[in-house]
Amino acid sequence: MGTSVAGDRDRDDPVGVIMDHSMEIESNERMRKENLNRWTLKFNDPEMENKFCCLREDMFKSNMVCCFVLWLLIVAGQTVMLPATFVLVGSLTAATVILSGAIVLVMAEEFAWVPASIRAMSSLLVNNRFYRTAFVCAVLVTMAVFASLSLVVCSYNIQTGNDIEVSGNGTVTTTSTTSITTGTATTVSSITVVVRADPLLGPARWERQQAALRLRHRRDCAQSWPNASASPSRCRPTRAARPVANGTVELAVEALPQQSEVMSNNNYKCGNLTGSACREFLSKVGCSSPEYSVYSWVVCLVAIATCLKLYFLVKTALAVALVAAQSVLIVCTFPQVFSRDYTSRMLTPATQMMTLLAVFLTLVIHHARLVEIISRLDFLWKQQAARELEEMLETRQNNNQLLLNILPDHVATHFLSQDRPPEELYSQARDKVGVLFASIPNFTEFYSEDINKGMECIRLLNEIIVDFDELLDEPRFVVIEKIKTVGATYMAASGLNPSHQPGEDEWDHLCALVDFALAMKTRLEDVNKHSFNHFQLRVGISCGPLVGGVIGARKPVFDVWGNTVNEASRMDSTGTMGMIQVPKETAQVLEARGFLLQPRGLVEVKGKGRMETSYVVGRRAGRAAGFQRQASQYSSLAAVVYGMVQARRRQTLRSKAVKGPGVFSPLAGLAGAVGALGASVADQGVAL
Ligand SMILES: Nc1ncnc2c1ncn2[C@@H]1O[C@H](COP(=O)(O)OP(=O)(O)OP(=O)(O)O)[C@@H](O)[C@H]1O
């Protein structure tokens, strides 16, 4: 699409704009060649074609309304320009009613008051490409057929003859008449009487001759129009007799029918009337502008073009069929209408009309092809954009998951927030935090590089650590954050997250930390049972103030520092296998909260001197853990997700173990698990 490049470039720079434009064209061209069939413009990929065909067409309704407006334009044009005969008015009214019904059907989906069955039909029409196409074709054909009926109105059969003999005293007269066949009746439209004048006739005789002629004409006129008396002007000679040549005079009388009496007939010709006489006659009978029928067809072609989403081959077929039918009407069925004497022009009316239709046909086909290409390319771009967006969201979700697994929830949230100042150092000082160091001192005895270069030992250590991690998924340990593992030492802290509101007791999290240490011991005993080992846990816990933060530009880690941390580490290193050692202050806090403690006495601690410490034996009977879970939804979801990652990882590790020893790669396993997890979380609609 080239928008990113365009975005960077100065929009006022004409060279940049031209380059962007040409890049866009080139990329569209490439996309078209790669994906679309050259002739049918269908997608090369059937699946893509299927998807495209199943798209709901939002413009269908507006296109149909547009067609209806164009029909009203045809109606207005024909009503104004053509004689308002029964056939014309009837056909236009019928077509308008039919098309109105079609529009109501199309729009029915929008209105609640329309019966449900009609709304269902409407919805089917809008959503199903096949029905939609058939419907549009039916509407366009209806428009074209009814627009063509105006031609029939212009069709009259005008015949001429010399069937009227007028004789006077001693004079011989010939007449020529023009008659119009209207339906079954033939009426005389004009009589031209040529009288050979008798030079011997005196003025009185000549007058009598004229009177006789008028009389005769009135008789013929009355025969043709029984109700001529109602409109005597019809049978009145239109001009006085005039001498023509060589002693002859011409007396012309015209009896023109009223427009309302003109009936249609398929055989139309101007008889022996030519040139201006023909045009004059036609203007009197009301069919002086047959080209308006052709203009109506042109409007029908425009209506085809307005149906933007109609498949271009269907549009082409419709337009070609319409123009072919119209050509047949012009050339074969009604040739007289378009073959009047237009000697002053270079092209006959028929040729002019055919040229006009050919030009519009070409335009409509070209437009249809362009619209089809654009809408299909647009579809491709949208598909690509949707794919990229999906990938982007997945990557983002995976990144978030990784961050949430690496950092404590509240720290990850801080780094994921949009309004965080860039390059800002994250650190936090907390007053009342618990720190735990839990090590397996006899793991070093177990570790041997003889078995698969130590991989099996690492695998077992990993199993143990994963077991400890799983404990953190329990709601009661939500206030505990794993900080890291150093060798076979597990380090965790409680009360770090400022968003965890303390309950009644601000040291609840410390109690949870001690419970966690007890649970770790139980887990390790389970591992021992299954692996026939005798690992023992040595735990040191301390509480007090510390500083937490993220350090490092590459592979940043969250860590904690301070005397409390050092003290906890020392409690571990100076502790006893299988025991939880705490300093005096921590022991007091725990004792007050129902823990059973066994004083150890004074212990020499590096850098501190002699410290009074105690062992935590467990909870006193009857004092259950009083900690109430106060996790935010965010962190509980993160815990669930993390648990799923770990479960998946364990499963992978176990299945690998069953298959045989292999190289263990925790990061690869984690990345794979996060990838799979991202999908599973997305499936469950969990928004983190
Ligand atoms: N953030 C931390 N992560 C891991 N261990 C820590 C951390 N902070 C302190 N310790 C550990 O706590 C112990 C006590 O630290 P302290 O700074 O008091 O002593 P030290 O002089 O560094 O002792 P040593 O020489 O035994 O490491 C150290 O063994 C240290 O490894």
Side-chain angles (χ1 to χ4, degrees):
M1 283 185 266
T3 44
S4 58
V5 185
D8 298 342
R9 213 167 274 156
D10 183 3
R11 295 199 177 274
D12 296 334
D13 174 18
V15 178
V17 171
I18 291 169
M19 276 179 67
D20 288 341
H21 186 61
S22 52
M23 274 167 64
E24 198 175 323
I25 290 174
E26 200 176 302
S27 128
N28 274 337
E29 192 65 21
R30 182 179 46 78
M31 211 156 183
R32 187 174 71 77
K33 279 185 186 153
E34 279 172 9
N35 294 286
L36 301 184
N37 180 290
R38 187 188 171 91
W39 301 109
T40 62
L41 296 183
K42 289 197 169 189
F43 288 110
N44 295 330
D45 177 6
E47 200 183 324
M48 188 75 86
E49 179 65 26
N50 202 29
K51 266 190 198 168
F52 180 75
C53 291
C54 290
L55 279 185
R56 184 187 154 89
E57 198 199 307
D58 294 328
M59 294 178 76
F60 174 62
K61 290 174 188 165
S62 55
N63 289 167
M64 285 293 95
V65 171
C66 208
C67 284
F68 188 68
V69 171
L70 287 171
W71 171 253
L72 293 182
L73 196 71
I74 292 174
V75 171
Q78 295 201 352
T79 313
V80 171
M81 298 309 299
L82 301 176
T85 63
F86 173 76
V87 175
L88 186 73
V89 173
S91 64
L92 291 182
T93 309
T96 307
V97 169
I98 293 171
L99 293 176
S100 304
I103 289 295
V104 169
L105 185 61
V106 169
M107 304 300 286
E109 202 191 22
E110 306 281 334
F111 305 109
W113 49 267
V114 176
S117 55
I118 297 181
R119 267 190 290 148
M121 273 170 67
S122 171
S123 155
L124 186 70
L125 205 59
V126 176
N127 292 305
N128 185 300
R129 188 176 159 95
F130 176 76
Y131 290 133
R132 221 163 45 213
T133 304
F135 187 82
V136 173
C137 290
V139 166
L140 292 171
V141 167
T142 307
M143 283 175 69
V145 167
F146 281 92
S148 304
L149 285 181
S150 57
L151 250 197
V152 179
V153 176
C154 281
S155 62
Y156 305 101
N157 182 12
I158 302 169
Q159 291 171 341
T160 57
N162 296 315
D163 56 343
I164 297 175
E165 281 289 325
V166 179
S167 60
N169 291 336
T171 61
V172 179
T173 58
T174 59
T175 62
S176 74
T177 62
T178 301
S179 62
I180 303 173
T181 304
T182 57
T184 52
T186 299
T187 55
V188 176
S189 67
S190 67
I191 304 170
T192 306
V193 184
V194 181
V195 183
R196 185 183 299 146
D198 185 348
L200 299 175
L201 288 177
R205 287 287 301 276
W206 177 239
E207 276 303 313
R208 278 203 296 279
Q209 181 70 50
Q210 283 197 54
L213 282 171
R214 282 193 210 103
L215 204 66
R216 175 62 200 263
H217 167 64
R218 268 202 290 277
R219 203 179 64 222
D220 290 336
C221 186
Q223 278 171 2
S224 297
W225 287 308
N227 55 350
S229 55
S231 44
S233 62
R234 283 181 179 160
C235 298
R236 201 179 298 143
T238 51
R239 60 174 183 261
R242 56 188 170 119
V244 208
N246 202 19
T248 60
V249 291
E250 183 187 274
L251 176 67
V253 287
E254 284 184 287
L256 292 170
Q258 284 184 343
Q259 286 188 359
S260 60
E261 288 170 297
V262 175
M263 300 296 285
S264 63
N265 188 294
N266 285 337
N267 189 9
Y268 173 82
K269 57 186 179 182
C270 235
N272 60 350
L273 297 177
T274 57
S276 59
C278 180
R279 277 202 299 282
E280 190 188 338
F281 175 77
L282 288 170
S283 71
K284 284 176 180 165
V285 299
C287 193
S288 58
S289 310
E291 56 269 26
Y292 275 87
S293 300
V294 182
Y295 297 155
S296 301
W297 298 336
V298 168
V299 176
C300 288
L301 284 176
V302 174
I304 292 177
T306 59
C307 298
L308 293 179
K309 290 290 170 73
L310 189 63
Y311 177 46
F312 110 98
L313 282 184
V314 175
K315 265 193 219 175
T316 306
L318 261 181
V320 168
L322 183 66
V323 170
Q326 288 157 3
S327 303
V328 168
L329 289 180
I330 292 172
V331 177
C332 306
T333 316
F334 301 110
Q336 302 86 347
V337 176
F338 297 97
S339 60
R340 281 173 284 150
D341 183 16
Y342 277 76
T343 46
S344 56
R345 300 185 192 170
M346 280 176 65
L347 297 171
T348 63
T351 318
Q352 286 174 32
M353 295 301 117
M354 297 280 284
T355 311
L356 183 72
L357 286 174
V359 168
F360 267 87
L361 176 67
T362 314
L363 287 178
V364 166
I365 293 175
H366 182 65
H367 176 264
R369 194 177 156 81
L370 274 185
V371 168
E372 189 73 37
I373 290 174
I374 289 169
S375 66
R376 281 173 184 264
L377 285 182
D378 187 52
F379 175 74
L380 280 178
W381 283 122
K382 274 187 189 156
Q383 290 279 310
Q384 190 167 319
R387 261 198 315 273
E388 278 170 13
L389 186 70
E390 204 177 308
E391 279 170 19
M392 208 176 73
L393 287 175
E394 202 177 311
T395 310
R396 188 171 161 181
Q397 200 179 26
N398 288 345
N399 289 344
N400 290 356
Q401 285 307 315
L402 280 171
L403 206 59
L404 284 165
N405 285 326
I406 291 167
L407 300 174
D409 291 356
H410 65 287
V411 183
T413 310
H414 168 83
F415 279 100
L416 289 172
S417 68
Q418 304 287 328
D419 45 1
R420 174 180 66 94
E423 310 299 327
E424 189 209 23
L425 174 77
Y426 178 82
S427 64
Q428 57 166 173
R430 302 281 292 158
D431 285 341
K432 290 183 173 165
V433 177
V435 181
L436 167 148
F437 278 80
S439 55
I440 308 168
N442 54 345
F443 184 79
T444 40
E445 296 161 22
F446 167 79
Y447 182 76
S448 163
E449 294 201 346
D450 295 345
I451 315 163
N452 198 15
K453 293 182 183 167
M455 290 303 291
E456 289 308 311
C457 300
I458 300 294
R459 194 188 301 283
L460 184 60
L461 178 64
N462 179 63
E463 290 266 338
I464 295 167
I465 300 293
V466 166
D467 272 1
F468 293 163
D469 287 341
E470 274 182 356
L471 283 174
L472 290 177
D473 298 339
E474 290 181 24
R476 61 188 173 132
F477 300 137
V478 76
V479 282
I480 301 170
E481 289 290 348
K482 175 184 174 181
I483 305 297
K484 62 182 159 187
T485 54
V486 184
T489 303
Y490 195 96
M491 182 180 170
S494 65
L496 278 174
N497 192 340
S499 66
H500 290 157
Q501 297 299 321
E504 285 173 17
D505 187 356
E506 57 193 1
W507 285 116
D508 270 347
H509 62 83
L510 185 66
C511 300
L513 192 65
V514 177
D515 284 334
F516 177 60
L518 293 169
M520 285 170 91
K521 279 173 68 180
T522 315
R523 275 288 168 106
L524 192 61
E525 280 161 21
D526 283 351
V527 172
N528 284 339
K529 259 187 232 164
H530 292 108
S531 63
F532 307 106
N533 277 301
H534 55 279
F535 297 127
Q536 279 197 295
L537 203 62
R538 191 184 65 197
V539 182
I541 294 178
S542 178
C543 65
L546 57 67
V547 174
V550 178
I551 49 166
R554 284 180 178 257
K555 298 181 186 168
V557 286
F558 177 80
D559 211 337
V560 285
W561 304 273
N563 187 48
T564 310
V565 184
N566 297 343
E567 216 169 69
S569 173
R570 293 295 182 211
M571 288 299 103
D572 168 31
S573 56
T574 59
T576 313
M577 297 255 272
M579 304 301 278
I580 302 169
Q581 183 175 227
V582 293
K584 187 181 165 191
E585 297 74 23
T586 308
Q588 284 167 353
V589 172
L590 291 173
E591 199 159 27
R593 282 156 185 83
F595 282 92
L596 207 59
L597 286 119
Q598 178 191 329
R600 185 184 180 189
L602 292 173
V603 177
E604 185 65 38
V605 175
K606 186 183 168 191
K608 299 266 177 193
R610 294 166 76 82
M611 278 182 77
E612 197 179 329
T613 66
S614 300
Y615 293 127
V616 181
V617 180
R619 278 187 181 267
R620 267 202 295 271
R623 296 292 298 268
F627 176 74
Q628 293 296 309
R629 184 185 173 207
Q630 289 162 353
S632 68
Q633 193 195 9
Y634 181 90
S635 64
S636 72
L637 273 175
V640 169
V641 167
Y642 183 63
M644 287 166 73
V645 172
Q646 296 299 353
R648 166 95 187 221
R649 188 175 166 197
R650 274 164 64 83
Q651 201 180 1
T652 314
L653 288 171
R654 278 182 186 137
S655 61
K656 274 188 187 166
V658 169
K659 281 179 194 159
V663 179
F664 168 66
S665 166
L667 274 180
L670 185 66
V674 167
L677 181 75
S680 115
V681 169
D683 288 350
Q684 292 169 34
V686 180
L688 290 172

